[in-house]
Each structure stands twice: as C-alpha cells, then as structure tokens.
Amino acid sequence: MSTTLVYRGYQPALSFKARAVPTVSTMLGSLLPGMLPIIAQAPIVPPFGLLMLLAWRLLRPGLWAVWAPLPLGLFDDLASGQPVGSAMLSWTLAFLAIDASERSLLWRDYVQDWVVASAAIAGCLLAGYVFALFAGGAAPIYAIVPQALASMLF
C-alpha cells in the first residue's frame, strides 16, 4: 500500500491510521465467517473479506495498488481453508476487471457499483468453486447459489 493517494492528480499524504483501516478491516472480514456460530451443510455466509475489499475498492478507487489483493487473498485463503492461491487469483482478477470497467465508464452511480460488485462476487465465488473442485471437492454448482445471493444482497 502506498503512502499517498494518487487520484486525478491530487496526492494528499495519508496517516498510518488511514492506511491501516482498509487493510485491517478486510483481514477482519476474512476472519469473521469462521467466527460466526453457524453450522450449515452448504455455504451460506457471505465472504466478508471479499465484500470489504470490493467496498474499499469501489469507494476509494486510488487507495490500493493493483497488487494489494495478493497478500489479502493469501490471508483469506489461510483463514478460510480454501486452496492457497484461489482468493489471491480471483481477487486480483476482480481488481483488474474493476479497473477495466472504470476506464470505460465515465461516471458511476450506486446501481453501476452494485452491478460491478455483484459480477465480481459471482466471479470470485465461481473461481473458488472451481479451485475447490481441482483440490478434490465434490459439490454441485448450485450449492454456492445461496452464498452468492446472500453476498449480492448484503
């Protein structure tokens, strides 16, 4: 994470607290689903780490560098038990897709942010499902639908 926020030519210096809050909140979001006292047969708890990452990315576009999802995704993989590298790859691809969409959209409003975040959530959950299949999981694809719907509506 850089010490300055570069966005439209304006570069104010950020304090340590302003630099730490997005990272710490994303890491706490990654830990939260494992701490909730919910026992379920299928995944229904939204990936709060991904939701926090997307929220910070969409609300503060120049806050993080493009490589920022790599260490945060590694932390999420270690905290959630997913195969190592699945969140690292899917979160980085989501960041790159959001960057590409920002170049084509001149202005964004709430609905466009919601659609972009929903597509990123669905893509990351689908990528996590595919990684779990390669790691030996054997669940049908419709098992992640409740989690995707809860994530998109949360």
Side-chain angles (χ1 to χ4, degrees), residues 6-85:
V6 180
Y7 186 64
R8 297 186 184 186
Y10 182 63
Q11 299 179 356
L14 294 177
S15 67
F16 175 75
K17 182 177 168 184
R19 287 182 286 138
V21 165
T23 305
V24 171
S25 64
T26 303
M27 293 173 82
L28 288 175
S30 294
L31 290 174
L32 185 63
M35 294 189 298
L36 292 175
I38 296 175
I39 299 172
Q41 294 292 329
I44 58 169
V45 179
F48 291 115
L50 174 63
L51 297 180
M52 293 296 290
L53 180 87
L54 291 174
W56 280 111
R57 175 62 187 90
L58 291 172
L59 291 176
R60 300 284 183 211
L63 183 65
W64 279 337
V66 178
W67 56 265
L70 288 172
L72 294 171
L74 176 65
F75 182 82
D76 185 74
D77 287 337
L78 295 175
S80 67
Q82 281 283 86
V84 175

